[in-house]
Every structure is written in structure tokens, then in C-alpha cells.
Amino acid sequence: MTSNLAAVSYGVNLSPVELEHLRKVLSDVGASFTSEARSGDERFGVYTIGLAVDGGTAADLAEIRRRVADAAGEGVDTAIVPAGLRGAPRKLLIMDVDSTLIQQEVIELLAAHAGKREEVAAVTEAAMRGELDFAQSLHARVAVLAGLPAAVVDSVREEVRLSLGAAELVAAFKAAGHVVAVVSGGFNQILGPIAGQLGLDYWIANELEIVDGVLTGKVLGAVIDRAAKEKYLREWAAAEGISLEHSIAVGDGANDLDMLGAAGIGIAFNAKPAVRAVADAAINMPYLDAVRHIAGV
């Protein structure tokens, strides 16, 4: 059985030496080259090789990814992507929000107004590394916000900045007729305006409780946690009639792992080591729109 794949390399400095080394690694795993193309812009370069390889099991693909990752040079990452995903007429892109779609962690921005930023940041880091239960950690972090005026939410919304290339990534997927969704352990009050601005098809986050114009330190309803992120990926893909094999998930923390694992390809974006270790691909530069090159959009 022959599988058709693409090796997509990207980095701020794609040197000929690194690319030649990649070609050797791919040859050593028995891949034959069917095409090659260069793209990118002044920020980063992209080099894509079409591959034909014997064997099409998940284990075969995982082994190729492992060999390529082990041989990667500094500043260059390579995603091994099934050709079926890159060529799919409709795809679903689903992303985390904090430290993925946007540059900040919103809970830390809110906590700063309560004088608790460092304390909350330490808990966030531990949760993203997978050392703490996400729901429990969220409740503990939100509790420090009790008593803050609701106007703080508006102030924080003004501080939020999209990740570099985020708007371009969403626009490219939408223009090509694909579906774009985000699922966040953050908060609807922040995410809603961003979702509207970008024209997202689906979005969900937690809801901060506000009573009489004051934050209560609680969230309403079930927490959007690791399991919920995978659940919404499956629900939204089914609603759109898109196979999970044609979905792309992007995130940076431990609470994204189930979503990354369920998608056709899971991409770790400037992620914690535990996430990079198990994701199908990694982006270790600040440009989120590298995802479009991986997905063939």
C-alpha cells in the first residue's frame, strides 16, 4: 500500500543544508519525491515536498514524523501531512485562543487588575503543563477576580492582541470555503467581539458571572476543559459534514491535547514541551499563519 504525503518545512531561515538533510532523512525512510515547491514571504520560508511512501498505517506515519523531528535543525520545523487532508475540498480549522489565536492569557490580564497577576500566572503555567486539573485551576484563578468592577473586562479586551498572522490565517481559510472555529478555556466576554471581528463560524468559551456590575469570582455553567474541546471539535465537524481526517487543530497547552489528538492533524503552536512531544506537528515561531501552509490552504 502506498500513501501520499507532504513534508512541509517552515522557518525563518530555511538553509539549503537543512533542506538537503531533510531530503536524506526522507529518502532513508523509503519515501520517493513526487513534487517540490517553495513559498513563504519575508517573515519565513516554506518548502513543500510531495511524498509517496510504502505503508499507510498510523504507526507508519508516526514513525516518519518521529524520524523527521529527531533530525530537525534549529529554527526549522517540518510537518508530515496526509495529502488527503491538504487536498480536501472542505476543512475544519479549530484553535485554542489564549496564547494561540491571541498573544496573551486573558485570566492573567484580569488578575493584574486585582494585583494577583504573578500568582495567577504561576497557576496557569502549571495547568498548561498538565500538572493541575484545568477546571479546578480555573475556578481558583477566577476566584481572585471577585469584587472587580465589570468595566475591567472592557479594559482587558482593549489589551488583547491577535497573534501574528492570525487574521490572515482565518481570512485564507474562509476565502477558500473552509470552516473556522475556536474553543477556549477563557471567557465569552473577551472572545465574543474577536469572533465577530474575524467572522468565525463557531466559538465557545467560559462565562464570567457578573452581578450588579461586579465580577463574582465564579464562572457560569460547565467549564470548557480538555474534554470539552474535543467534544466541540467532533460536534462541529459532524454539523458541517466534515470528516475528522480533514480537521486541523491548533493549541499550546495540556488542555488542548485531546482536541489535537482527535483532529486529522494536531499542531502545537509555541507550546509547552509536553504538548510538542505528542502533537503531529509544531510551529516554533510567532507566525500563526504557518498553519495555512501545513494545511495546503
Side-chain angles (χ1 to χ4, degrees):
M1 177 181 176
T2 300
S3 294
N4 294 315
L5 307 169
V8 185
S9 297
Y10 37 90
V12 295
N13 183 22
L14 286 184
S15 72
V17 172
E18 289 288 351
L19 296 180
E20 185 56 37
H21 182 54
L22 170 66
R23 293 173 68 90
K24 182 180 186 307
V25 171
L26 292 170
S27 293
D28 289 346
V29 299
S32 57
F33 305 146
T34 59
S35 64
E36 65 176 314
R38 293 178 183 268
S39 56
D41 55 30
E42 71 280 357
R43 300 168 303 151
F44 62 91
V46 181
Y47 177 63
T48 303
I49 310 174
L51 308 173
V53 298
D54 292 331
T57 67
D60 294 330
L61 182 55
E63 175 62 15
I64 294 172
R65 285 172 170 158
R66 185 192 66 80
R67 294 277 292 274
V68 168
D70 287 348
E74 186 175 354
V76 178
D77 291 297
T78 299
I80 305 297
V81 192
L85 186 156
R86 285 173 55 85
R90 287 189 82 230
K91 307 168 192 177
L92 169 63
L93 169 64
I94 185 168
M95 295 180 284
D96 173 44
V97 176
D98 292 42
S99 296
T100 300
L101 182 70
I102 65 174
Q103 297 179 33
Q104 298 88 359
E105 291 284 336
V106 166
I107 186 66
E108 295 175 14
L109 299 181
L110 289 167
H113 288 268
K116 301 282 188 178
R117 181 165 189 161
E118 290 186 4
E119 172 187 324
V120 165
V123 177
T124 300
E125 278 291 307
M128 291 303 98
R129 291 194 300 264
E131 297 169 3
L132 299 174
D133 175 79
F134 181 81
Q136 291 178 348
S137 77
L138 180 70
H139 286 304
R141 287 175 288 164
V142 171
V144 309
L145 307 179
L148 288 176
V152 163
V153 175
D154 298 321
S155 297
V156 165
R157 193 182 299 122
E158 293 299 315
E159 296 178 58
V160 168
R161 296 292 179 269
L162 292 173
S163 291
L164 301 177
E168 293 82 355
L169 171 64
V170 173
F173 265 76
K174 295 286 291 177
H178 304 305
V179 178
V180 183
V182 298
V183 58
S184 174
F187 308 106
N188 284 327
Q189 286 93 339
I190 302 295
L191 180 55
I194 296 172
Q197 168 194 342
L198 294 176
L200 301 178
D201 296 289
Y202 298 93
W203 61 275
I204 194 166
N206 297 299
E207 184 80 13
L208 290 167
E209 184 180 58
I210 299 173
V211 177
D212 296 329
V214 175
L215 298 180
T216 66
K218 298 178 181 178
V219 292
L220 298 172
V223 168
I224 304 300
D225 60 5
R226 177 171 171 166
K229 289 190 173 191
E230 180 187 354
K231 177 177 80 78
Y232 283 108
L233 161 61
R234 294 181 180 277
E235 285 186 8
W236 293 337
E240 293 290 337
I242 296 173
S243 165
L244 284 179
E245 295 178 353
H246 298 156
S247 65
I248 304 100
V250 188
D252 73 300
N255 64 325
D256 299 315
L257 285 173
D258 292 0
M259 176 178 76
L260 298 184
I265 188 166
I267 303 172
F269 180 68
N270 294 312
K272 305 298 182 287
V275 180
R276 292 199 307 270
V278 297
D280 299 318
I283 297 172
N284 295 301
M285 58 183 182
Y287 307 114
L288 187 61
D289 54 324
V291 171
R292 67 177 294 192
H293 297 282
I294 295 172
V297 174

